[in-house]
Amino acid sequence: MQTGSWLVSRELTEAAGPWDVRLLGDDDGEYFCRVLLASDGVRFVPGSRVYYREAGSGSLSYIGGSDRKRDAQWLSMKLHVGYIRSLEDSERVRTACVKFLQNWMVFFYPERLDIFRQAEDLAWKLGGELQVPRLSWKYSWIKMLFGWRLADALSSRYQMSGGC
């Protein structure tokens, strides 16, 4: 659920703990994981609306080529996996965690093979296996002619701006 739509009591805010300033993107997602862990449940309010900024290369959550943001995103991902496994450590949860890791690998591969290898190790410990990320078929010809980096850069740019 989009994090701008949460209403949280002071007591729950204090129970969740402070904002993690080590995180440069997904800091709100990590925080609300802790809110959920500390809560007794969630109530949905039908008809509620939230207006939120558009994503793009100028947004705080845009990772781009920043190693600092990649490091922070990887930290956030490890925290998320730990949080959900603290609630339930079933095969279903471990499989979901591997899928979560796989979905994010396009932001790390091939520029940050160190993080990709750590994620592979974590996936293996969860009973799964990561694959090298695949680009959309629309960018495969660019990958063949000009390489992964350009195809990935164009894919990320146009996905973030709402194009292609």
Side-chain angles (χ1 to χ4, degrees), residues 59-144:
S59 75
L60 178 64
S61 58
Y62 179 70
I63 294 173
S66 170
D67 279 334
R68 243 178 102 221
K69 285 189 172 186
R70 284 187 181 122
D71 289 335
Q73 182 62 42
W74 175 233
L75 173 59
S76 178
M77 292 169 63
K78 290 185 293 184
L79 292 170
H80 279 72
V81 168
Y83 296 152
I84 193 167
R85 290 184 70 206
S86 75
L87 293 174
E88 179 183 333
D89 194 23
S90 66
E91 182 177 343
R92 175 180 75 113
V93 167
R94 289 188 298 273
T95 299
C97 288
V98 171
K99 184 171 178 63
F100 169 68
L101 294 172
Q102 182 68 60
N103 288 342
W104 278 94
M105 287 303 103
V106 71
F107 293 99
F108 303 111
Y109 185 89
E111 291 84 3
R112 291 298 303 272
L113 290 177
D114 59 321
I115 293 175
F116 184 76
R117 299 288 181 243
Q118 290 175 50
E120 281 184 315
D121 185 51
L122 179 54
W124 183 81
K125 289 175 182 171
L126 293 166
E129 185 177 343
L130 295 184
Q131 305 298 317
V132 169
R134 285 189 244 162
L135 294 172
S136 163
W137 63 269
K138 295 181 274 187
Y139 299 96
S140 60
W141 67 272
I142 297 172
K143 179 182 170 190
M144 289 173 47

Side-chain angles (χ1 to χ4, degrees), residues 7-17 31 34-35 38-40:
L7 293 175
V8 181
S9 69
R10 178 179 301 275
E11 296 82 32
L12 186 52
T13 299
E14 290 170 358
Y31 176 75
R34 289 186 284 122
V35 167
S39 75
D40 291 329

